[in-house]
Amino acid sequence: ACKCFVTGDHDCAALKEKKEAFDAYSPDCILPARKHEHFTATDNVIYADFECFPTPNGTHQVYAVGYCIGKGDVVVLEGADALERFVDALLALDEKHTLVFQNGAKYDLHPLVHDLDRRKIKHTELYCNGGYLRLKFGKISTLDIYRFTNASLKKACADYGCAIQKGDFDHGRVQCWGDVAATRVDWQPYLVDDVRSMRELYINYATDVWD
């Protein structure tokens, strides 16, 4: 190039050469942006939350999984095999789905990845600063709504005016399997509302982005 300040009428041999090269490209090489005519953010979306108690070795034992697909009812799986049954249900899906968690990067995805590793289920992960930013397995790809709201579920639901607000439960009451059964009447509705409130939060947020 001539290294001169380029103005609107600047015309040198080097610039002509660049223009000719650019004009030679086929217009087929430029991909037009796909325009979304319909709101699709809620298509094939799964909302999930885990309840755990601490173990002596410093890990967390999942004792219950709550999840729903789209606008469906919340399914609650309980027991030592709750996480395994949840993963198996996801692997059985025929279509691609997005699995939404609240702060799953720091919490829920850790036992999920452990189960996938333990059973040698093929998966890919993006791990950064102690959290899983993305996890893919089967036809599932995860999304952490916390990464967009940057707020606790309770605060985010309040800020977005959700009809279903996050409830309260003293997790310290569950320290072993006996406690799971003894407190079921309290933690089960809490878990169901967690999933339902997260679903509403996700839809409200996605609607704001769409609008």
Side-chain angles (χ1 to χ4, degrees):
C2 65
K3 298 182 180 180
C4 292
F5 178 76
V6 178
T7 62
D9 58 353
H10 184 78
D11 192 21
C12 71
L15 188 57
K16 280 184 178 180
E17 186 177 339
K18 288 183 179 181
K19 286 182 178 179
E20 290 172 357
F22 179 81
D23 292 340
Y25 281 113
S26 167
D28 294 335
C29 294
I30 302 175
L31 300 178
R34 186 179 64 177
K35 184 178 180 180
H36 287 266
E37 300 291 347
H38 305 286
F39 183 70
T40 60
T42 56
D43 294 351
N44 289 20
V45 180
I46 302 168
Y47 310 90
D49 188 30
F50 301 161
E51 295 300 333
C52 311
F53 62 76
T55 64
N57 62 5
T59 62
H60 286 82
Q61 170 66 54
V62 175
Y63 66 81
V65 174
Y67 75 98
C68 66
I69 300 178
K71 297 179 180 179
D73 293 335
V74 177
V75 176
V76 176
L77 305 175
E78 179 186 341
D81 63 344
L83 179 55
E84 185 172 326
R85 284 185 285 151
F86 173 61
V87 171
D88 289 344
L90 299 184
L91 291 173
L93 294 172
D94 294 327
E95 298 180 343
K96 290 183 177 180
H97 282 72
T98 300
L99 175 59
V100 177
F101 287 103
Q102 162 67 24
N103 209 5
K106 294 287 187 179
Y107 296 100
D108 308 79
L109 292 186
H110 286 265
L112 181 52
V113 170
H114 177 73
D115 182 72
L116 296 174
D117 287 338
R118 180 181 63 83
R119 296 199 281 158
K120 295 181 172 56
I121 296 173
K122 184 179 179 181
H123 61 281
T124 59
E125 60 198 49
L126 176 59
Y127 186 84
C128 180
N129 295 329
Y132 292 97
L133 302 184
R134 178 59 64 90
L135 175 66
K136 292 184 177 182
F137 62 97
K139 295 185 180 298
I140 299 297
S141 180
T142 64
L143 181 147
D144 189 344
I145 187 65
Y146 174 80
R147 299 291 169 174
F148 299 90
T149 64
N150 196 33
S152 68
L153 184 58
K154 180 180 283 292
K155 185 178 187 305
C157 285
D159 290 346
Y160 276 86
C162 295
I164 303 172
Q165 294 289 311
K166 176 179 171 58
D168 294 298
F169 175 71
D170 181 4
H171 295 281
R173 294 173 60 193
V174 182
Q175 299 293 320
C176 63
W177 288 110
D179 295 339
V180 172
T183 60
R184 183 181 298 115
V185 67
D186 294 321
W187 65 254
Q188 192 170 83
Y190 165 81
L191 174 59
V192 169
D193 281 349
D194 259 14
V195 176
R196 294 172 66 216
S197 61
M198 178 170 53
R199 173 173 59 189
E200 186 179 358
L201 170 64
Y202 172 84
I203 293 173
N204 287 356
Y205 176 84
T207 301
D208 274 358
V209 174
W210 171 259
D211 291 342

